[in-house]
Amino acid sequence: MTTLLEVSGVSVSFDGFKAINNLSFQIGEAEMRAIIGPNGAGKTTFMDIVTGKTRPDEGHVIWGDRSVSLLKMSESQIARVGIGRKFQRPTVFEAQTVRENLAMALKNARGPFDVLFYRKSKSGADRIEALAEEIGLSNQLPRIAGTLSHGQKQWLEIGMLLAQEPRLLLIDEPAAGMTPEEREHTTQILVEAAKTRAVVVVEHDMEFVRRLNCKVTVLHEGAVLAEGSLDHVTQNQTVIDVYLGR
Amino acid sequence: MILRLFVAMALMVCASSVTGQTLQDVLQDHQGAVEKASRKTIDPVIEDLIASGLPSVPGFLEEWREKNVWVRKSDGLFFYADTVDKATYTLRDLTTGADVGTVEKSDIKQLRPNSGVRSVIATALVRFQLSDPDPFRRIDALTSIERDPEPEHLEPLRASIADETAPALRARKERLERLLSVSFEQDEDRRIIAIRSFDGDLGVDARAALNPILRTKLVYAEDVPDDANIAAQVIPGSEDLSVEAAYALMVGAGAAAAIPDADARKAILIKNIQDGQVAGFDLVDLDTQDARDQAYVALAQTTDIPVWSPTLAKSDIVKEEPFALVYGEPSEAVTDAALKILNGIETRVAANQFLDLGLDAISLASIYFLAAIGLAITFGVMGVINMAHGEFIMMGAYTGYVVQLFVPDYTLSLILAVPLAFAVTFAAGVAMERLVIRWLYNRPLETLLATFGISIALQQLAKNIFGTQARPLTAPGWLDGAWMINDVVSISYIRIAIFGLSLLFLGILLYILKRTRLGLEVRAVTQNPKMAAAVGINPDRINMLTFGLGSGIAGIAGVAIGLYAKVTSELGTDYIVQSFMTVVVGGVGNIWGTLLGATMIGSLQKGIEWFNPSNTLAAQTYMILFIILFIQIRPRGIIALKGRAAGD
Amino acid sequence: MTEIAQRSFFLRNPSVLVFLALLSVFTLAVTLASEATGFGWMSTSFVKTLGKTLCLCLIAIAMDLVWGYCGILSLGHFAFFGLGGYMIGMWLMYERTKDIVAQSLQNEVLPPTPDELRDAIGTQIFGVVGGSDIPLVWTFADSLFIQLVLVVLVPGLLALVFGWLAFRSRVTGVYLSILTQAMTLALSLYLFQNDSGLRGNNGLSGLQNIPGLTGVSQDVISIWFFWASALALALGYLLAAFMVSGKFGSVIRGIRDDEARVRFLGYNVEAYKLVIFTGTAMISAIAGALYYPQAGIVNPAEIAPIASIYLAVWVAIGGRGRLYGAVIGAAFVSLLSSWFTGGSAPDIPLGTFTIQWTDWWLVVLGLSFVAVTLFAPQGISGVFDKLVRKS
């Protein structure tokens, strides 16, 4: 298994507080990974660093077969090389329809003039239909996204991520605020996605993580505490201490 | 030498009083020269009058100058005369002033010294005035010399220093003596000593005395006498001497013939038109300079006109010729000394001007601080840009004006106006927050526009109420004038007062924010409004009070600005953009940031004005460009804030 | 393929057809009613007012694109408008002065040389600011073509450089608004200087006289300009509708609503903003180049920040995020403003106090603007939309 993303020796601090402390992390192609950890463990900051929102003070973030550094790229460039991100709160364009949301995310040339003279194509329309099918929003395409339910917005956002055809998906707490059925559906979507690409899920909910059935990385105080199967890490004494002992 | 002369004079004074010679006697010695006084003959008379040392001489000289001295035709004696009626005069004795009888006008003749004589008399009088027992007359005499120094003043001035008793006047006399020495002293060494004594002197008078020594004239070097004091050789075509000017000098010296310029040649062509042609050229064809030049050359072959050819270039002619800058002052030692001292003075003046500029910048900065701090607070706490902030400043200024209408005492009215302006604008701010802004939270751009609507309405309202002409807001008398540190550095009291006011408000605000419950809550809301609400802070109340506070300070800024600027309905508009800039540069929601921002904007504006003093408009243009570039380096201002206003 | 897209563009945007139809009818009506026909009753000055209003509608569309759709509240677009006017004004003034000068030099004994002509033109144009040299910026003033290119090029470049600097450093929201306002102020202050080379506060004048068309009367010229303005507005509307209807519109609305999200979708947000900012600046400049020959004079006061804020007011009152809203707002408010401030509105006597509209109109405008922001954030067209949907 080749390495898709390699984070090594990354540290970042805000006003003296070390949010990430010498963190190293690797993920391969078509791998599912769950990241867990208590509040303030640096899970979101880790994602911010990978997607270019936060610049680390030191360390390397290396991407893909050609081992390019992500640190010099802008957020949009990083997104274009194939890293998609889903935020904790569902962020879809609420004033636009589901179709427009998906169309915007569709993998296509992203330059202003490419987009300005972009013509709708049959293949694009088919792709949108297929994605809608995948996320279970087939009959919601003309709806204004703002009127969707919370769970539907989460799916729409995942759908938008898939439309980008990323090689790495970073997903922040997808199951938060979902009903059990919605969770089930979300799990399916993610497991399906992980067959063709790397997926990193940040999650608090152990039950959800268990259902993903994948390797787990435990973060604590900005560094990796343990790595392995969920059962393996939950038996690790330090992990138990961190979760219960404080 | 001078001293000896004085001893001699003093002796003579004694002598004359001993001999009992009267003023009339002295005058009679020169009867003719006095009666028909002229510039040429007057000197011995004046000398003898001074030498006599009689106490009545100054009075006489004054009366003489004022044409109050008459001569009796019968015996040639001189008297003062008072008019009784048109034809009759009363004569008075020159020494005692006693009445010596009434005469017909036809029996006496008025002495009318011409202007040349009068100036000689005046100079002589200076001598007496400088030692007059009345100090005010001595001051008058000094002032008149300072205003219009003459070489003749030097000797009497020197003479009067020794006897001067008042220390201030003595210092002034000594300084004036040195100034006059710089200009008029004949002895070169003494003059140079006088020049050197002004080393580092910032007085304008010192520079006014030294500068003429270095006055130069451009000359064509063939004209220069061998002993001329040459400042520098100059090359034609350089900054100091244009080719045109150089050529004109040569023409003036007879070293070159005048070359007719294009306009002159055109005139000559026109003068030589014959039958619609000039030298065979049709007039209609002469619509380019080339054609005209050809016509001129052709004409020159047949007609006697000044020589000219297209290849004749003035720059070639003057190129190898010598030109020089020559000092008007012949002595090189003197010009060298003056040059050295003046250079030293210029350096010090520049340093002091920089200091003066710094003071200006600080005072400007304190105005911007007052104008902007309210804006910064509301922006920081509420994320709201109040476009009507400028109108609150205007309201404050008008409040001051209205107070002065009712309270005529300027000091009292000012004391009343400051809190009243705060109250008025505080109320206006709270009203605006309650009625408009509170409904628009989280829609910052719309708040900006809504407050702009209020700004238009308020401005027009002010126009409707107070009219378009400027209203005065008069500062009390004790704020008039300026604190003069030296001849270069000064600052007006109003600006000092405004500086004090902004320091005061800086202190008050710091106190409110750091030491009071309100401040704690304000800071809490600034940093995390949701959390603040969760711990029981009522953000509504905080927002209202903050907005009121910000607006209230704008009102006070209005009073301060109104004191030195005219109060018009557009007063706020003039300051609003600068205030915005201050906030942008300083960073929002932080008093120190605003202070730094104001200091930066103020010094920048003054600094640019210094480089380009004639042009405040350009200064503002460049300043804004600078700010746009500054944003590139620090997009969130000097002191960036993490929290709601930071937008992340 | 393209044909299908074209057809579907109009099908998807029926309002564009409605707008174009209304504009054509309006243009025809004004043409027939104008004095130029010989029997019309509409005064030349009113035709000019209507023509100018069309130009204002065009810049309002530009403003709507940049603010209503892309969320950048620019307080600088009137500066681009004014610059466009300056660029065309330079040609108009230079050529007309050249004609006048040539006329007056005709009676000279010797025909004037090119240099003499230039000097005379310089004195004529710059005498008011105490100069006679023709500044460098007027180098191309004798070429209509180059000046027309400069109409879009100069404001476009200014917008490009400014936008690049501002967007690059991620200045957004009110900060950006203030910065654009500062840029506008800087430009107007610069133009206010006598040595700006553009006649300081005198501005450029006599622009209503078109060089080479001295034989054509103003009533005909006014109709020509009216047509040109209507055409420009139609094209501008089409272009804007084209931009906002497709995926591009989707992206810029996305930028307006959630800039960061668009960025994580892989779009270079700054580039989009730059395209919109610069493009709308050019549209504004074209509008200005058509406006000022009808107004007759352009001076730095026109560029002052307040004008750009009024522009935002029009668009807000008309309704943001709708192209026709911008048009309605600009037409409605600017015509109403000139009616009230022109002194033709009847005063309202209130017993002891009479409300004179010339004094009170701005108060009413300001307050009604606050009311619109508070109670009808979608503006007139938003209210209109609600009514249409209800029925």
Side-chain angles (χ1 to χ4, degrees), chain B residues 344-427:
Chain B
I345 289 180
E346 297 296 336
T347 316
R348 277 202 61 189
V349 166
N352 277 279
Q353 274 171 343
F354 191 75
L355 186 68
D356 191 48
L357 198 74
L359 285 180
D360 274 3
I362 289 174
S363 86
L364 194 64
S366 47
I367 290 160
Y368 287 159
F369 176 76
L370 273 183
I373 183 66
L375 204 61
I377 294 174
T378 47
F379 194 17
V381 176
M382 301 151 74
V384 160
I385 274 283
N386 178 12
M387 293 288 275
H389 192 79
E391 276 55 50
F392 286 166
I393 295 177
M394 170 200 81
M395 276 167 79
Y398 273 121
T399 309
Y401 163 72
V402 171
V403 169
Q404 284 200 339
L405 288 184
F406 293 100
V407 184
D409 181 81
Y410 289 146
T411 307
L412 183 63
S413 67
L414 192 64
I415 293 171
L416 285 177
V418 169
L420 213 61
F422 183 87
V424 167
T425 46
F426 181 90

Side-chain angles (χ1 to χ4, degrees), chain A residues 53 87 89-96 101 104 157 160, chain B residues 647, chain C residues 69-71 172 250-265 267 269 273:
Chain A
K53 195 178 173 195
F87 288 87
R89 263 184 315 127
T91 45
V92 296
F93 300 104
E94 306 218 342
Q96 307 195 32
N101 267 287
M104 219 190 294
E157 198 179 357
M160 287 164 73
Chain C
Y69 284 91
C70 201
T172 54
S250 202
V251 175
I252 59 172
R253 274 178 290 149
I255 292 174
R256 173 191 67 192
D257 296 335
D258 192 342
E259 193 177 311
R261 187 73 187 84
V262 178
R263 210 170 268 136
F264 285 116
L265 279 177
Y267 289 96
V269 168
K273 285 183 171 176

Side-chain angles (χ1 to χ4, degrees), chain B residues 177-466:
Chain B
E177 187 269 330
R178 287 192 287 136
L179 284 170
L180 290 183
S181 302
V182 166
S183 307
F184 306 122
E185 174 59 56
Q186 296 300 316
D187 182 73
E188 193 176 294
D189 293 337
R190 292 184 56 138
R191 193 171 177 199
I192 289 172
I193 290 168
I195 289 171
R196 295 223 171 105
S197 73
F198 283 103
D199 192 11
D201 196 302
L202 287 178
V204 180
D205 51 355
R207 272 170 282 157
L210 288 167
N211 272 320
I213 298 177
L214 295 177
R215 211 165 277 153
T216 55
K217 211 176 90 183
L218 264 174
V219 288
Y220 179 48
E222 310 240 307
D223 288 351
V224 181
D226 294 338
D227 59 345
N229 183 4
I230 293 174
Q233 303 288 340
V234 282
I235 300 161
S238 67
E239 208 176 303
D240 296 322
L241 180 64
S242 70
V243 168
E244 287 297 325
Y247 193 80
L249 278 174
M250 285 183 70
V251 172
I259 295 179
D261 64 5
D263 283 341
R265 295 200 302 275
K266 181 181 171 189
I268 290 168
L269 285 177
I270 291 173
K271 214 186 278 173
N272 287 285
I273 292 174
Q274 284 170 341
D275 310 328
Q277 282 191 324
V278 182
F281 287 83
D282 282 334
L283 289 189
V284 284
D285 295 332
L286 297 181
D287 62 347
T288 64
Q289 195 60 47
D290 273 353
R292 288 185 187 177
D293 292 348
Q294 284 168 20
Y296 190 90
V297 173
L299 186 65
Q301 283 165 359
T302 57
T303 322
D304 180 29
I305 55 177
V307 181
W308 180 85
S309 100
T311 54
L312 198 65
K314 286 179 181 174
S315 56
D316 291 339
I317 299 172
V318 297
K319 198 160 64 184
E320 300 293 327
E321 299 292 331
F323 296 89
L325 275 171
V326 176
Y327 287 120
E329 166 63 46
S331 159
E332 198 177 337
V334 170
T335 50
D336 281 355
L339 194 65
K340 188 160 158 267
I341 297 302
L342 255 181
N343 280 343
I345 289 180
E346 297 296 336
T347 316
R348 277 202 61 189
V349 166
N352 277 279
Q353 274 171 343
F354 191 75
L355 186 68
D356 191 48
L357 198 74
L359 285 180
D360 274 3
I362 289 174
S363 86
L364 194 64
S366 47
I367 290 160
Y368 287 159
F369 176 76
L370 273 183
I373 183 66
L375 204 61
I377 294 174
T378 47
F379 194 17
V381 176
M382 301 151 74
V384 160
I385 274 283
N386 178 12
M387 293 288 275
H389 192 79
E391 276 55 50
F392 286 166
I393 295 177
M394 170 200 81
M395 276 167 79
Y398 273 121
T399 309
Y401 163 72
V402 171
V403 169
Q404 284 200 339
L405 288 184
F406 293 100
V407 184
D409 181 81
Y410 289 146
T411 307
L412 183 63
S413 67
L414 192 64
I415 293 171
L416 285 177
V418 169
L420 213 61
F422 183 87
V424 167
T425 46
F426 181 90
V430 167
M432 191 164 128
E433 201 274 340
R434 287 288 92 181
L435 293 174
V436 180
I437 292 173
R438 137 168 105 115
W439 308 104
L440 295 172
Y441 283 135
N442 303 323
R443 285 151 70 191
L445 292 184
E446 283 167 43
T447 319
L448 191 147
L449 287 174
T451 51
F452 170 70
I454 295 169
S455 145
I456 311 178
L458 282 179
Q459 213 180 96
Q460 187 60 42
L461 214 56
K463 240 176 234 167
N464 294 352
I465 296 171
F466 296 102

Side-chain angles (χ1 to χ4, degrees), chain A residues 133-204:
Chain A
E133 180 76 44
E134 204 175 333
I135 56 172
L137 292 175
S138 284
N139 45 5
Q140 315 283 357
L141 280 177
R143 244 175 100 174
I144 299 288
T147 64
L148 296 175
S149 75
H150 178 79
Q152 284 172 320
K153 282 183 196 167
Q154 296 276 40
W155 294 332
L156 173 57
E157 198 179 357
I158 295 174
M160 287 164 73
L161 282 185
L162 296 176
Q164 278 176 267
E165 297 174 25
R167 295 169 65 194
L168 171 64
L169 267 176
L170 299 172
I171 298 181
D172 206 349
E173 298 195 27
M178 281 190 171
T179 62
E181 297 85 56
E182 286 173 339
R183 276 165 194 241
E184 186 60 38
H185 186 186
T186 308
T187 316
Q188 278 168 17
I189 297 173
L190 293 180
V191 170
E192 185 61 34
K195 286 177 183 162
T196 49
R197 72 204 80 217
V199 176
V200 175
V201 180
V202 166
E203 189 51 81
H204 274 306

